[in-house]
Amino acid sequence: IRGTRPAMPKKKPVEKKTERHWLAEASRNVKRLEGQMLVALDQSNLRIALRKAMEILDELRTSKLSPQSYYELYISITDALRRLESYFVDQQRRKTGVSIVELYEHVQHAGTIIPRLYLLITVGSVYITTMKAPAKDILFDLVELCRGVQHPMRGLFLRNYLSQVTRDKLPDTGSPYEGEGGNVHDAIEFVLQNFAEMNKLWVRMQHQGALRDLSRREGERRNLKQLVGTTLVRLSQMEGVDLTAYCDSILPKILEQTVNCKDVIAQEYLMECIIQVFPDEFHLHSLETFLKTVGHLKSKVNVNHILVSLMNRLSQFARSSPGKIPADRDIFPIFHKYTAQILRKKTEMPLCDILELEAALLQFSTQCYPERLEYADGVLQFTVETIKNHQGRGGVLLPKSTSVVRRL
């Protein structure tokens, strides 16, 4: 028909890329660039190899991935970095190529900050093995430079990489890096500094984004908690960490960081980490310090779980190692004192939680002090009074509470 405009062709809808698409695309890029990097290394073309490594590490600057997907990408990229590290180690062993000192200086001027720091950590770990500079100097240099990345997720993974590649290069007692390279106190301070910064970054993840996504962010944070916890595991495995170092330096700094972060998820996890990763003997000699800190945690922290976990751990220790608890350390009154303080402070604690706490306290007294029947009598008497007060206020015993009473 004259004057009628031809129909416009329909536009194809633009396909919206999902997170899995972004991850798959990034993974393909990493695999391709890694192949090119390895070819350059085979040809001893260090300039091209470093450039390809930088391009690989550029993928870690993304903001399009969730922590879980970012972790998958991080694993594939750090695998590539390990191959690059092996090449540097081999070059230093053969005394060929660029000196490690020159290489360490060179990569400090490379590209954007995330690729630069990953490369610097990789080269720095090799630098330590050559013993051409004190290990402590390189370690503190690296942990300080990592402050340059303040994005919570990217910074957390960067510091996890630092922790991983340096775990066997600390100037710990008996380590080849001890002596001119530093001592166990330097090793402890390095790990504690990295731990404190990792925890701050982990906590800050909670406050990124809209309020409606709060529960999702909490779930993502819980999935990443092991990245923070492994630093405490590293401390507990060090040969030079003895009771004195733990009580005087390690525990006070961990507890200070735990209280000051003012975050419920972090406080619950870190207190549980302390209980699980350090030896029972350490807990026996630092009990009052630990329990005093429990009273300063956020009001929403499940302190009942923390106390029960510690009492159960020490009860098991007493059962498996009879006689190991020093006769001159009567720790039941310490537990009883701080438990009472916490119960007075947390008046809203459910009856079931109070009974669980008393059940753990009873088990602790019977396992650690079987001859002190007055301890068990005191716990049972307090339990009876608590139930009477609860019923006097019109409360009823729920099935869960009844089950705990039967155990008592």
Side-chain angles (χ1 to χ4, degrees):
I1 302 173
R2 187 185 294 268
T4 302
R5 291 184 178 181
M8 295 291 292
K10 292 183 179 181
K11 291 183 178 180
K12 292 184 179 180
V14 178
E15 182 182 358
K16 186 177 180 181
K17 288 188 176 181
T18 64
E19 183 181 326
R20 299 310 297 177
H21 281 131
W22 289 118
L23 176 60
E25 185 177 310
S27 299
R28 285 193 296 270
N29 288 340
V30 169
K31 189 172 182 180
R32 173 178 56 81
L33 291 166
E34 182 184 1
Q36 294 173 1
M37 181 189 76
L38 294 176
V39 168
L41 291 177
D42 287 341
Q43 296 172 349
S44 298
N45 192 333
L46 187 58
R47 184 178 62 83
I48 297 297
L50 288 176
R51 192 176 75 193
K52 294 303 176 182
M54 293 285 288
E55 291 177 24
I56 291 172
L57 289 163
D58 266 331
E59 298 293 341
L60 288 176
R61 298 170 61 200
T62 182
S63 299
K64 298 171 181 175
L65 301 178
S66 68
Q68 184 176 358
S69 296
Y70 192 89
Y71 176 74
E72 292 183 39
L73 181 62
Y74 165 85
I75 291 298
S76 64
I77 289 176
T78 52
D79 283 345
L81 287 180
R82 273 192 284 273
R83 294 181 176 90
L84 183 63
E85 182 183 11
S86 297
Y87 174 83
F88 292 147
V89 170
D90 185 60
Q91 290 289 296
Q92 296 308 307
R93 183 176 55 82
R94 295 182 180 184
K95 297 182 179 180
T96 58
V98 181
S99 78
I100 196 65
V101 179
E102 292 177 9
L103 190 58
Y104 188 71
E105 291 294 329
H106 174 73
V107 296
Q108 293 188 45
H109 305 286
T112 51
I113 191 165
I114 288 181
R116 182 196 316 151
L117 289 176
Y118 272 97
L119 269 183
L120 192 63
I121 292 169
T122 304
V123 175
S125 71
V126 180
Y127 192 4
I128 293 173
T129 63
T130 65
M131 299 186 184
K132 293 181 178 179
K136 64 178 181 179
D137 291 351
I138 301 170
L139 291 170
F140 286 122
D141 189 30
L142 293 174
V143 80
E144 185 64 27
L145 287 170
C146 284
R147 291 179 185 270
V149 179
Q150 287 298 311
H151 183 280
M153 185 173 71
R154 297 174 202 157
L156 183 61
F157 278 93
L158 174 67
R159 287 187 175 276
N160 180 67
Y161 181 66
L162 173 63
S163 178
Q164 283 185 324
V165 300
T166 58
R167 65 183 182 274
D168 58 345
K169 301 173 182 69
L170 303 177
D172 188 12
T173 301
S175 162
Y177 310 107
E178 187 187 19
E180 292 185 5
N183 55 38
V184 67
H185 300 294
D186 296 313
I188 290 171
E189 183 60 27
F190 165 76
V191 177
L192 284 174
Q193 282 189 26
N194 200 43
F195 157 74
E197 294 302 319
M198 288 182 76
N199 189 55
K200 290 174 186 176
L201 292 165
W202 184 50
V203 169
R204 282 176 51 204
M205 288 181 66
Q206 185 80 6
H207 309 292
Q208 301 289 307
L211 186 62
R212 64 177 178 273
D213 297 327
L214 182 63
S215 60
R216 175 182 58 80
R217 289 198 302 274
E218 288 179 350
E220 290 174 347
R221 281 191 61 209
R222 293 183 193 278
N223 290 336
L224 295 178
K225 63 185 181 182
Q226 286 83 2
L227 298 183
V228 181
T230 51
T231 57
L232 300 186
V233 174
R234 198 87 68 228
L235 278 172
S236 70
Q237 294 173 340
M238 289 171 57
E239 291 292 333
V241 172
D242 56 14
L243 181 60
T244 301
Y246 178 77
C247 294
D248 293 349
S249 178
I250 295 173
L251 182 63
K253 290 182 179 179
I254 296 174
L255 293 177
E256 179 184 17
Q257 177 64 31
T258 301
V259 172
N260 290 344
C261 74
K262 295 180 171 60
D263 179 81
V264 173
I265 294 175
Q267 288 182 344
E268 288 182 345
Y269 177 65
L270 294 178
M271 295 299 274
E272 182 65 24
C273 273
I274 294 170
I275 294 170
Q276 298 302 329
V277 305
F278 291 104
D280 300 291
E281 292 88 344
F282 289 10
H283 297 318
L284 290 174
H285 289 84
S286 60
L287 186 60
E288 196 152 6
T289 302
F290 183 89
L291 293 176
K292 192 180 295 183
T293 302
V294 173
H296 294 96
L297 301 178
K298 296 284 284 184
S299 59
K300 291 185 179 180
V301 169
N302 188 347
V303 296
N304 179 70
H305 176 77
I306 295 170
L307 293 172
V308 170
S309 179
L310 181 57
M311 282 189 273
N312 287 342
R313 169 93 192 250
L314 293 180
S315 297
Q316 184 179 4
F317 174 65
R319 185 168 59 251
S320 61
S321 306
K324 285 289 186 73
I325 295 182
D328 60 338
R329 293 190 64 82
D330 191 354
I331 59 179
F332 178 85
I334 300 175
F335 261 123
H336 194 271
K337 169 187 171 183
Y338 285 97
T339 298
Q341 287 182 4
I342 290 167
L343 290 177
R344 282 197 298 269
K345 185 177 180 180
K346 292 186 172 291
T347 55
E348 76 287 352
M349 184 180 286
L351 176 64
C352 185
D353 287 350
I354 297 175
L355 294 177
E356 286 283 3
L357 193 54
E358 292 302 309
L361 196 56
L362 179 64
Q363 182 184 21
F364 177 75
S365 70
T366 55
Q367 292 288 344
C368 300
Y369 303 99
E371 74 287 351
R372 302 294 295 270
L373 298 180
E374 67 272 21
Y375 288 167
D377 290 341
V379 173
L380 293 172
Q381 183 179 353
F382 179 84
T383 304
V384 170
E385 291 173 358
T386 301
I387 294 173
K388 284 182 178 179
N389 290 336
H390 178 74
Q391 292 175 330
R393 294 193 301 267
V396 295
L397 278 180
L398 298 175
K400 193 173 181 181
S401 299
T402 304
S403 174
V404 179
V405 172
R406 285 174 182 157
R407 287 196 348 243
L408 280 163

